[in-house]
Amino acid sequence: GSGDGRIVIAAAKKFGARGVGVELDAGLVKDATKNAQKAGVADKVSFLQEDLFKTDLSSATVIAIYLSNSINLRLREKFRALKPGTRIVSHRFTFGDWMPDAERHLEGTSIYLWTVR
């Protein structure tokens, strides 16, 4: 989930991105919404209390995730079905044998990028 919204909020502040965070926990959605208001990006981001497995991601152009290997594997086909060019960035965890297009190692962790084809 999007937790307290820090990744979506940082993308909006640093790059002017528009974003949607998906989180199951209602308290975290509330916190993320408040954090976006405090950061001055509430007009660029929103947070949904939803199940990521049921959320429509078809309009996404970039998806940032920090989930476990097992959840990534469960989402792999959903992500592969997105429109070509959609980028998926994962902190630390991969999608099994779906090889990333790029990989970076930063401060003791790995960041992976896939582009849907």
Side-chain angles (χ1 to χ4, degrees):
S2 57
D4 64 4
R6 68 184 67 196
I7 293 173
V8 177
I9 292 167
K13 282 184 77 166
K14 188 168 184 174
F15 304 107
R18 296 195 169 279
V20 177
V22 179
E23 173 61 52
L24 278 174
D25 185 303
L28 287 173
V29 170
K30 186 176 179 180
D31 291 346
T33 302
K34 285 181 187 176
N35 292 340
Q37 291 168 345
K38 287 180 192 173
V41 295
D43 61 326
K44 292 185 169 125
V45 302
S46 61
F47 298 91
L48 305 174
Q49 182 186 357
E50 291 185 9
D51 180 336
L52 183 58
F53 292 96
K54 297 177 183 175
T55 300
D56 177 9
L57 301 174
S58 62
S59 65
T61 58
V62 177
I63 296 176
I65 57 173
Y66 187 0
L67 304 167
S68 67
N69 280 326
S70 62
I71 293 177
N72 283 6
L73 287 173
R74 289 177 54 204
L75 287 167
R76 182 168 58 178
E77 294 312 311
K78 179 176 182 139
F79 288 167
R80 280 185 167 162
L82 295 170
K83 66 183 171 267
T86 302
R87 291 162 289 164
I88 302 163
V89 179
S90 178
H91 179 265
R92 190 169 170 200
F93 300 103
T94 66
F95 289 96
D97 62 357
W98 185 14
M99 299 305 295
D101 298 311
E103 180 177 338
R104 300 283 185 271
H105 301 282
L106 307 166
E107 300 177 15
T109 194
S110 296
I111 306 294
Y112 302 96
L113 169 70
W114 292 264
T115 303
V116 177
R117 304 205 191 312

